[in-house]
Amino acid sequence: MTPMTPASGPSLLSMLLAFAFVLALIPAAVWLLKRLGTASSTAGATLRVVAQLPLGARERLVVVQVGGRLLLLGVTASAITRVGALPGATFGSEADGTPSGGALRRH
């Protein structure tokens, strides 16, 4: 009988070190994706909630600014429906579209 020899290939120690390296890369990749994803989404953000009016426990009307347009949306627990658009309306008097005075004005 011949004595048993270990199988040829990578040793257990090198496999464990490679596995630990891969596990260490996961948090680094998540951190990098969060950092890059947040910076790019906030720089080009053109969607913002201007006003909302609760109608019930889980229903509300929401005015959303998309670019330069204002949309009126109905929001429930199971759906979001476009009720209409507010053409030619601006919110407040600031040039950057920030709320001031709390009322919609027609131009």
Side-chain angles (χ1 to χ4, degrees):
M1 293 203 132
T2 59
M4 295 188 66
T5 60
S8 62
S11 69
L12 182 61
L13 179 62
S14 65
M15 285 182 18
L16 287 176
L17 287 175
F19 183 66
F21 179 72
V22 169
L23 287 180
L25 283 178
I26 293 173
V30 168
W31 174 80
L32 184 63
L33 287 174
K34 280 184 181 180
R35 186 157 169 91
L36 292 177
T38 303
S40 65
S41 66
T42 57
T46 60
L47 179 72
R48 144 183 112 84
V49 175
V50 175
Q52 52 184 320
L53 174 68
L55 301 175
R58 300 171 90 178
E59 299 84 18
R60 65 186 65 235
L61 284 176
V62 180
V63 177
V64 178
Q65 182 179 9
V66 181
R69 297 175 52 198
L70 292 175
L71 300 176
L72 181 62
L73 304 176
V75 180
T76 67
S78 61
I80 299 173
T81 306
R82 180 179 163 194
V83 176
L86 302 172
T90 60
F91 190 73
S93 61
E94 305 291 329
D96 61 357
T98 57
S100 67
L104 284 174
R105 284 190 340 201
R106 287 241 182 233
H107 282 217

